[in-house]
Amino acid sequence: MNEPQTLIDKLWSAHEIARREDGASLLWVDRHYVHEGSFLSFSQLQKRGRTVAEPGLTFGIADHYVPTRGRDRAVADPSIAAMVTTLEHNTAASGISLFGLGDPRQGIVHVVGPEQGLTLPGLLIVCGDSHTSTHGAFGAYAFGIGASEVAHVLMTQTLWQKKPKRMRVTVSGKATAGIGAKDIALSVIARVRADGAQGHAVEFAGSAIAALSMEGRMTLCNMSIEAGGRCGMVAPDAVTFAYLKGRPYAPQEAAFDRAVEAWSGLVSHPGATFDREVTLDAGAIAPIVTWGTTPDDALPIDGTVPDPAREGDPARAQYLRDALDYMGIAPGKMLTDITIDRIFIGSCTSARIEDLRAAAAVLAGRVSKVPGLVSPGSSTVKRQAEEEGLDRIFRNAGLEWAESGCSMCVGINGDIVPPGERCASTTNRNFRGRQGPGARTHLMSPAMVAAAAVSGHLADVRPLLAGRKV
């Protein structure tokens, strides 16, 4: 009981109700987010004649399938319209608060939760979406669950889980100009590979992490899933508390001060043991882009794509051939010689106000050489961006300014990359068909996407930022 504990140890013990002989524990869930794709889970409740156990702890958000255009009209796709209507009916019948299409707070669940103050340090948070890990940026234990688990949480407000291993990624030093959280995340994934954190709760630490804003920390924790992690987390600190103060659902006044006192204890003890340690030097990280079909196919922008002929492992060589064939890239080609067809700025990874500002800093006074779509992470972000004039920068550059939603990240809501086209994207996944059948996706930071837009090819953003306020 007196051994030094990691952050995940503290969060786990605070939520464990019971433990089975097989090692699984029954955990209490503090916050549950559902979206329009959760209708199957509600159907399971109805079939069993059950009701939602704790409706005040569940919040509904319409984000995955909703269109980002024509919000002043009825949803044109009948199947999507039905899902949106079903979410409205299910939440209303259960007494669950809903941020629906007509709500000024609507947006992507992993953007809305934090900005509304629903996501707080020390909570156990689940949602039927793998990138629920985003919320771990606040020192929460947050992870995605499947449809049957969503139903279990709705019925019991609990969940059976096996405790993950503990992994710490320490990023020390100071990042250079033009390097953002997405570059750090892709560097980590390239280092440990797409399954390197499998079965682990990943805690990010170090001076470079402490220097990140909450937006940057959310990007980092969001991408921990792409390294195979169960979740990502950052210990809460003064940056966290400043972000949360005054948020609608956060504790207020004296209650907030008491909460901060409790939250301040959510740190790993000195000497706590991790199952795996990884260290990076932030000063050595360059702008990163992906070239293949997994997020760990990532390289500095001044690099060249691999040549299968130089690969000694036959299985790896075959993977490289297949990935390059799908992506339509010649072996050994310089990344900066890869032309693009369109760009996308959005998703739960990189569509917060800080992300839009970073892209706008590059695009201001310039014109995109390719078409593109900018979808803010929430209606709140959209309004703020418009107040700051960012929408005009995007429009003047020739890009489309849309409503909030998951948009082109998932390719299930009408926003897709046409077959065979190449997209520079701020999203989190680049597997085959992620942004639409036959789509070719290159992942990078918002600033790097903007650089690709004005260049017409993958490009280093750093020269484009010279003399500009970032």
Side-chain angles (χ1 to χ4, degrees):
M1 293 294 293
N2 295 321
E3 290 184 4
Q5 288 187 310
T6 66
L7 176 55
I8 183 58
D9 292 328
K10 293 182 178 182
L11 295 173
W12 187 274
S13 61
H15 292 88
E16 188 177 46
I17 300 168
R19 192 179 306 174
R20 293 192 309 224
E21 290 185 2
D22 64 358
S25 295
L26 185 66
L27 304 178
W28 176 259
V29 175
D30 298 300
R31 192 77 76 233
H32 184 200
Y33 298 125
V34 295
H35 52 78
E36 71 273 33
S38 303
F39 62 92
L40 291 173
S41 303
F42 281 96
S43 296
Q44 290 185 41
L45 263 71
Q46 293 158 9
K47 288 179 181 177
R48 299 182 187 187
R50 301 288 295 274
T51 58
V52 176
E54 295 284 351
L57 302 182
T58 296
F59 293 83
I61 297 96
D63 64 351
H64 275 60
Y65 293 84
V66 300
T68 60
R69 302 170 175 88
R71 286 280 178 85
D72 56 337
R73 304 186 300 272
V75 178
D77 187 312
S79 61
I80 293 177
M83 281 193 285
V84 171
T85 301
T86 299
L87 178 64
E88 293 171 352
H89 290 166
N90 284 333
T91 52
S94 302
I96 294 171
S97 296
L98 171 65
F99 303 138
L101 286 187
D103 194 300
R105 303 166 296 178
Q106 180 273 338
I108 305 173
V109 57
H110 309 313
V111 178
V112 172
E115 73 183 9
Q116 291 299 318
L118 287 165
T119 297
L120 298 170
L123 300 188
L124 192 155
I125 301 171
V126 297
C127 174
D129 181 86
S130 60
H131 292 102
T132 305
S133 57
T134 306
H135 306 266
F138 292 81
Y141 181 28
F143 54 95
I145 56 178
S148 60
E149 292 175 309
V150 170
H152 192 280
V153 175
L154 288 172
M155 287 187 283
T156 69
Q157 204 58 33
T158 64
L159 191 64
W160 287 100
Q161 290 283 292
K162 287 194 174 182
K163 189 176 181 180
K165 295 180 181 179
R166 298 158 295 186
M167 177 176 177
R168 180 164 57 189
V169 175
T170 303
V171 187
S172 302
K174 183 178 180 180
T176 57
I179 305 303
K182 189 68 164 289
D183 300 299
I184 296 174
L186 288 172
S187 295
V188 171
I189 297 167
R191 168 75 69 84
V192 306
R193 311 304 293 176
D195 60 353
Q198 188 171 0
H200 291 73
V202 182
E203 180 178 347
F204 296 97
S207 56
I209 305 304
L212 289 175
S213 65
M214 288 311 301
E215 287 87 350
R217 297 177 190 187
M218 283 186 266
T219 294
L220 195 60
C221 290
N222 177 284
M223 293 292 290
S224 65
I225 300 305
E226 311 315 323
R230 185 70 179 110
C231 64
M233 57 185 63
V234 178
D237 59 12
V239 176
T240 317
F241 309 147
Y243 177 96
L244 288 171
K245 191 170 185 178
R247 299 279 172 180
Y249 285 88
Q252 302 296 318
E253 300 178 348
F256 184 80
D257 295 334
R258 291 193 296 271
V260 167
E261 185 176 355
W263 295 338
S264 298
L266 295 173
V267 295
S268 290
H269 289 142
T273 301
F274 290 83
D275 297 287
R276 184 177 183 187
E277 295 264 15
V278 176
T279 60
L280 284 85
D281 175 13
I285 295 175
I288 304 290
V289 299
T290 62
W291 58 265
T293 54
T294 75
D296 63 7
D297 292 337
L299 290 168
I301 186 61
D302 60 358
T304 59
V305 300
D307 185 347
R310 298 179 178 229
E311 176 57 56
D313 180 359
R316 176 65 178 168
Q318 185 59 52
Y319 167 77
L320 295 177
R321 283 191 291 270
D322 292 343
L324 292 172
D325 180 65
Y326 178 82
M327 294 296 291
I329 301 173
K333 189 169 187 173
M334 291 185 63
L335 291 170
T336 51
D337 288 340
I338 298 175
T339 59
I340 61 167
D341 300 299
R342 66 181 58 245
I343 66 100
F344 174 65
I345 298 172
S347 84
C348 64
T349 309
S350 303
R352 298 171 182 84
I353 190 65
E354 178 182 280
D355 302 311
L356 301 186
R357 289 170 181 159
V362 178
L363 289 165
R366 294 176 171 138
V367 176
S368 177
K369 293 185 177 179
V370 296
L373 178 68
V374 183
S375 176
S378 72
S379 298
T380 301
V381 169
K382 184 174 189 287
R383 287 191 299 274
Q384 184 174 356
E386 290 171 349
E387 289 169 1
E388 297 180 13
L390 304 184
D391 62 315
R392 292 193 297 276
I393 292 175
F394 296 131
R395 288 191 175 107
N396 290 341
L399 303 175
E400 185 176 1
W401 178 246
E403 301 290 342
S404 60
C406 290
S407 189
M408 201 179 284
C409 177
V410 286
I412 57 176
N413 43 48
D415 296 342
I416 62 170
V417 175
E421 285 199 6
R422 189 182 309 283
C423 182
S425 179
T426 66
T427 52
N428 42 46
R429 288 182 173 160
N430 58 338
F431 59 72
R432 299 169 186 235
R434 170 70 175 184
Q435 292 190 289
R440 295 164 170 168
T441 302
H442 294 270
L443 305 178
M444 62 200 77
S445 73
M448 285 289 285
V449 168
V454 300
S455 305
H457 56 80
L458 302 185
D460 191 333
V461 70
R462 290 172 292 188
L464 296 172
L465 288 173
R468 297 200 168 205
K469 183 180 179 181
V470 180

